């Protein structure tokens, strides 16, 4: 079978934690498909589960199993297409079951394989419950690391969070503040800067990305009076990135670089630790934030929220972030196709 042109391919949306809100927001995203102008997507999930969930929530979503993404794309205007993934146990909302961990992982595996095989345009992942996957034998810290494993990457990919008018990249991610300071290196900042600049050009159509680098300490160290990390670690990284031809500024005082006027002066903020990056982006646009993995050989986005087990099955889940993730994946895939040129 001849592969469809890249811009005609659907997105592959993973199951995520079945006891969480992934199924609900997938159903709601399909209902918003015309209003939001969504590219067709297929969900890798259990079609009977999704049909039962739609009925229980009173959502008028016809669910139909399909055998291929191409079939799903053709069906998308009339029904929610589902590539079947078998669950280990029946799902109870709000109660993750390690017996379903294999299905969650299989959903991710197949989504990546579809994109790598030219049958889907991008991977969009619903939130996973890592504690449940760990109990099922999962040995990766999270989605990002597992996707890097599937892609066969030697270097770690980079996490970027994007909202309406702010993009942030944390150089250190899921570690304590103490460990973040200890793990912060010039090399890590340079790697994050290089991957980010390349991705903004390739996937976001920004010809000369402007990177703003945050300091670690109050007032960016105040010339060493409040810490030497800016002098010893961050400034050497900035010099290296500038030598690469990247437009980079900093280190900037973290407390003054995220207000509206400051944000207009850069395309992305490189932050030194998790909360330094995520607090501003979630304050600026809590509902529409998107988690994007940079540095992969395929496009991957995700809603910027967790499994929300406390409201699973209640109908209260907000699909705004997933819709933003689907739209972002679509734009990135189109930009990547343009910069790659015509397929041979």
């Amino acid at each position: 079978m001849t592969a469809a042109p890249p811009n005609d391919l659907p997105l592959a949306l993973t199951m995520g934690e079945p006891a969480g809100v992934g199924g609900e927001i997938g159903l709601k995203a399909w209902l918003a498909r015309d209003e939001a102008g969504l590219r067709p997507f297929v969900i890798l999930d259990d079609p009977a589960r999704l049909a039962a969930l739609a009925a229980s929530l009173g959502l008028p979503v016809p669910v139909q199993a399909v055998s291929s993404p191409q079939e799903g794309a053709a069906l998308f205007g009339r029904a929610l297409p589902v590539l079947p993934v078998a669950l280990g146990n029946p799902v109870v909302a709000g109660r993750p079951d390690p017996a379903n961990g294999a299905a969650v992982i299989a959903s991710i595996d197949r989504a990546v394989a579809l994109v790598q095989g030219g049958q889907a345009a991008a991977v969009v992942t619903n939130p996973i419950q890592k504690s449940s996957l760990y109990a099922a034998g999962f040995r990766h810290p999270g989605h990002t690391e597992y996707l890097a494993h599937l892609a066969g990457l030697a270097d770690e990919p980079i996490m970027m969070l994007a909202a309406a008018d702010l993009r942030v990249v944390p150089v250190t991610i899921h570690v304590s503040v103490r460990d973040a300071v200890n793990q912060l290196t010039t090399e890590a900042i340079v790697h994050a800067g290089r991957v980010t600049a390349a991705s903004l050009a390739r996937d976001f159509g920004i010809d000369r990305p402007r990177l703003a680098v945050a300091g670690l300490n109050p007032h960016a160290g105040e010339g060493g009076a409040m810490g030497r990390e800016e002098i010893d670690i961050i400034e050497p990284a900035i010099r290296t990135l500038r030598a690469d031809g990247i437009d980079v500024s900093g280190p900037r005082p973290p407390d003054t670089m995220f207000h509206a006027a400051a944000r207009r002066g850069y395309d992305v903020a490189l932050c030194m630790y998790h909360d330094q990056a995520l607090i501003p982006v979630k304050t600026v646009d809590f509902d529409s934030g998107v988690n994007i993995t940079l540095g992969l050989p395929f496009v991957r986005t995700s809603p910027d929220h967790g499994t929300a087990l406390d409201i699973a099955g209640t109908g209260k889940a907000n699909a705004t972030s997933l819709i933003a993730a689907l739209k972002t994946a679509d734009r990135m895939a189109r930009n990547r196709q343009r910069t790659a040129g015509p397929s041979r």
Side-chain angles (χ1 to χ4, degrees):
M1 181 173 59
T2 303
N7 286 339
D8 294 333
L9 298 174
L11 305 172
L13 175 61
T14 68
M15 172 190 298
E17 169 52 55
V21 296
E24 179 181 337
I25 60 178
L27 295 167
K28 290 179 174 178
W30 184 85
L31 286 173
R33 65 197 183 284
D34 293 332
E35 179 184 357
L38 293 182
R39 183 182 190 137
F41 61 86
V42 294
I43 301 187
L44 294 95
D45 206 318
D46 184 298
R49 174 186 97 85
L50 290 177
L53 180 62
S56 70
L57 297 175
L59 298 174
V61 181
V63 174
Q64 186 166 325
V66 295
S67 60
S68 70
Q70 186 176 26
E71 181 186 353
L75 177 74
F76 187 74
R78 305 186 305 277
L80 175 63
V82 183
L83 286 167
V85 176
L87 290 163
N89 276 339
V91 174
V92 178
R95 295 174 58 184
D97 185 343
N100 288 324
V104 175
I105 297 167
S107 177
I108 300 169
D109 290 347
R110 189 172 182 196
V112 170
L114 290 172
V115 175
Q116 291 176 324
Q119 297 183 69
V123 175
V124 181
T125 59
N126 263 314
I128 56 175
Q129 188 73 17
K130 287 181 282 190
S131 59
S132 179
L133 293 187
Y134 296 155
F138 190 67
R139 291 292 175 262
H140 298 269
H143 256 135
T144 300
E145 295 82 1
Y146 186 56
L147 291 167
H149 164 72
L150 293 178
L153 293 186
D155 294 323
E156 282 199 16
I158 300 300
M159 182 173 79
M160 182 169 79
L161 288 302
D165 62 350
L166 176 61
R167 301 181 188 93
V168 296
V169 169
V171 175
T172 63
I173 307 177
H174 295 123
V175 295
S176 70
V177 173
R178 183 188 302 275
D179 288 342
V181 174
N182 292 335
Q183 292 179 17
L184 187 66
T185 64
T186 298
E187 293 74 19
I189 298 168
V190 169
H191 172 61
R194 286 172 173 165
V195 171
T196 300
S199 181
L200 288 180
R202 177 179 61 174
D203 299 331
F204 293 85
I206 302 173
D207 291 335
R208 185 167 172 76
R210 299 166 301 165
L211 278 60
V213 179
L216 174 70
N217 298 298
H219 306 291
E222 196 94 29
M226 297 184 186
R228 291 193 54 85
E229 285 83 5
E230 285 76 14
I231 296 169
D232 297 336
I233 297 172
I234 301 174
E235 289 178 4
I238 291 173
R239 290 195 294 270
T240 298
L241 292 170
R242 285 176 179 159
D244 287 348
I246 297 172
D247 184 348
V248 57
S249 61
R252 298 193 182 196
D255 63 337
T256 60
M257 65 181 290
F258 295 110
H259 63 84
R263 295 198 303 270
R264 290 194 287 271
Y266 57 81
D267 298 302
V268 64
L270 259 61
C271 301
M272 299 301 104
Y273 57 94
H274 182 276
D275 283 9
Q276 189 184 67
L278 271 67
I279 288 173
V281 79
K282 291 191 176 186
T283 301
V284 168
D285 193 350
F286 183 81
D287 288 330
S288 300
V290 179
N291 187 327
I292 304 164
T293 305
L294 310 181
L296 292 171
F298 50 84
V299 171
R300 179 262 177 158
T301 68
S302 181
D304 183 27
H305 61 69
T307 54
L309 297 175
D310 58 325
I311 61 169
T314 66
K316 297 178 181 178
N318 187 338
T320 303
S321 186
L322 174 59
I323 290 169
L326 291 163
K327 292 172 72 70
T328 299
D330 180 16
R331 288 193 297 270
M332 290 178 66
R334 292 177 188 276
N335 281 326
R336 186 171 290 202
Q337 175 62 22
R338 279 196 292 268
T339 56
S343 300
R344 295 183 178 180

